[in-house]
Amino acid sequence: MPELPEVHTIVQGINKSLLGYKILEVRDIKKKYNLLSQEDIDSKVINATIVSAERLAKQIVLNLDNQHSLSFHLAMTGKLLLREPGHPQDKAERLVLNLIYQNGARELRFCDTRLFGKVKILHSQEIEKSKNNFGLDPTTKEFNSKNFYNVIKSKNTSIKNLLMDQRKIAGLGNIYATDALWLANINPTTHTSQITKEQASKLLDSVISVLNEGIAHRGISMRDYVDLYGEKGSHQNHFKVYQQSHCSRCQCEIQTVRINGRATYFCPLCQPHKDKTLNKKISVN
Ligand SMILES: [Zn+2]
């Protein structure tokens, strides 16, 4: 599932390649799934121009010049692809936007094999309002030691769960959360009440560090993810502890624990739990 760095990379591509393009036509390829209403397409999208793109947690928001935005949630297998007209059909196309700018035509294709992805047309006021649903964004200046510590203490759960709760921290998923905890030498099952200010500060730096690395590598392409141009990212070659067999710091064998159903990797030596009985394979929430 695309996390912050993957969505950031796609948004960066849209801002680089699609500003000023006018939307001439929207084709709903799989009409029976009713992604958008034809009335909304006609009144809010057709003939509008793309003025900017932004990332909202893990959503891609395409702002138009008419106070409306198209928001894409890629979910498990969604892709947004920029294609020349006449480019062979992509697998699992759902929505195709025909675009034009200074006599140059392009297609923006939303493809989604498993159909969990979502597209919405929202008014700018709805976009502003929806920002309240998301927690601290790790790419903003509000993501500082004080705010992060307060967010950690605001929920009784494991630190791994906290990092993945979009209402607390926006944009982090399983892989980057797992690697950030390894980098900060914190056991993923540690209860938020046990996290010290020093640990929170180190974890903050680790979260920023793994996300910046992910962005520099243009995301993780293990299954479906590709960028706007159909190119794969390379961060899957740079995981720290996720899906690793041995720790690169101490050569210890990596262990896994299921937290909220997600496989979480950790090094028992570098990330010990205060309660030694928990340094074994366990299931926690
Ligand atoms: Zn280790």
Side-chain angles (χ1 to χ4, degrees), residues 141-243:
K141 65 178 188 319
E142 283 73 33
F143 191 63
N144 56 42
S145 296
K146 185 168 169 270
N147 288 343
F148 187 44
Y149 184 74
N150 288 339
V151 163
I152 289 171
K153 298 298 172 182
S154 70
K155 189 175 178 184
N156 289 322
T157 185
S158 68
I159 187 65
K160 166 79 184 326
N161 252 352
L162 188 280
L163 288 180
M164 291 180 59
D165 184 340
Q166 300 303 301
R167 292 163 301 174
K168 300 291 179 186
I169 311 285
L172 267 187
N174 192 37
I175 299 176
Y176 292 102
T178 295
D179 274 0
L181 286 163
W182 177 85
L183 200 57
N185 295 87
I186 298 172
N187 189 287
T189 63
T190 308
H191 198 272
T192 49
S193 63
Q194 294 181 312
I195 298 287
T196 64
K197 278 192 174 160
E198 290 69 30
Q199 283 181 312
S201 180
K202 195 173 176 189
L203 184 55
L204 175 112
D205 292 342
S206 302
V207 166
I208 293 170
S209 173
V210 295
L211 291 175
N212 280 341
E213 279 183 38
I215 288 169
H217 296 132
R218 300 184 66 75
I220 299 166
S221 292
M222 291 172 74
R223 294 192 187 94
D224 298 275
Y225 169 74
V226 288
D227 68 12
L228 188 68
Y229 312 100
E231 302 289 330
K232 289 184 173 183
S234 63
H235 192 62
Q236 64 279 10
N237 303 322
H238 303 275
F239 291 155
K240 300 188 183 307
V241 69
Y242 185 80
Q243 289 195 342

Side-chain angles (χ1 to χ4, degrees), residues 10-276:
I10 295 170
V11 167
Q12 211 176 29
I14 294 169
N15 278 322
K16 185 180 162 196
S17 302
L18 279 181
L19 301 193
Y21 274 84
K22 183 187 269 196
I23 302 169
L24 290 185
E25 188 187 7
V26 177
R27 287 183 280 134
D28 198 340
I29 310 293
K30 292 190 189 319
K31 270 201 167 62
K32 67 174 176 173
Y33 295 104
N34 206 17
L35 210 46
L36 295 171
S37 85
Q38 193 59 48
E39 194 187 337
D40 274 358
I41 291 173
D42 291 342
S43 63
K44 297 168 184 169
V45 177
I46 299 300
N47 286 326
T49 298
I50 300 168
V51 291
S52 64
E54 61 184 311
R55 179 185 58 75
L56 198 55
K58 297 183 192 176
Q59 290 171 45
I60 298 155
V61 179
L62 223 60
N63 295 316
L64 309 176
D65 65 347
N66 62 1
Q67 298 277 295
H68 286 93
S69 304
L70 273 167
S71 106
F72 296 87
H73 197 299
L74 303 179
M76 302 288 285
T77 57
K79 292 177 189 175
L80 265 182
L81 296 168
L82 177 61
R83 298 297 194 197
E84 300 283 336
H87 187 281
Q89 195 175 7
D90 284 293
K91 192 181 158 199
E93 284 181 4
R94 291 189 72 185
L95 202 71
V96 176
L97 275 64
N98 289 351
L99 310 168
I100 191 152
Y101 177 58
Q102 293 181 346
N103 300 325
R106 293 280 188 282
E107 287 183 9
L108 184 62
R109 300 176 179 177
F110 175 60
C111 308
D112 188 13
T113 316
R114 295 186 62 184
L115 306 171
F116 290 125
K118 287 191 171 62
V119 184
K120 287 181 186 166
I121 300 169
L122 298 169
H123 192 270
S124 56
Q125 285 171 352
E126 292 174 288
I127 295 282
E128 280 309 306
K129 214 172 143 190
S130 74
K131 288 180 182 175
N132 299 327
N133 299 332
F134 301 115
L136 276 179
D137 189 305
T139 61
T140 62
K141 65 178 188 319
E142 283 73 33
F143 191 63
N144 56 42
S145 296
K146 185 168 169 270
N147 288 343
F148 187 44
Y149 184 74
N150 288 339
V151 163
I152 289 171
K153 298 298 172 182
S154 70
K155 189 175 178 184
N156 289 322
T157 185
S158 68
I159 187 65
K160 166 79 184 326
N161 252 352
L162 188 280
L163 288 180
M164 291 180 59
D165 184 340
Q166 300 303 301
R167 292 163 301 174
K168 300 291 179 186
I169 311 285
L172 267 187
N174 192 37
I175 299 176
Y176 292 102
T178 295
D179 274 0
L181 286 163
W182 177 85
L183 200 57
N185 295 87
I186 298 172
N187 189 287
T189 63
T190 308
H191 198 272
T192 49
S193 63
Q194 294 181 312
I195 298 287
T196 64
K197 278 192 174 160
E198 290 69 30
Q199 283 181 312
S201 180
K202 195 173 176 189
L203 184 55
L204 175 112
D205 292 342
S206 302
V207 166
I208 293 170
S209 173
V210 295
L211 291 175
N212 280 341
E213 279 183 38
I215 288 169
H217 296 132
R218 300 184 66 75
I220 299 166
S221 292
M222 291 172 74
R223 294 192 187 94
D224 298 275
Y225 169 74
V226 288
D227 68 12
L228 188 68
Y229 312 100
E231 302 289 330
K232 289 184 173 183
S234 63
H235 192 62
Q236 64 279 10
N237 303 322
H238 303 275
F239 291 155
K240 300 188 183 307
V241 69
Y242 185 80
Q243 289 195 342
Q244 305 302 298
S245 59
H246 291 84
C247 178
S248 59
R249 274 191 302 231
C250 72
Q251 280 67 55
C252 194
E253 198 175 332
I254 296 300
Q255 293 187 3
T256 57
V257 55
R258 290 199 87 78
I259 300 180
N260 224 0
R262 306 299 299 273
T264 306
Y265 296 75
F266 69 100
C267 170
L269 205 63
C270 297
Q271 299 168 271
H273 198 287
K274 280 181 187 161
D275 178 353
K276 298 280 184 252

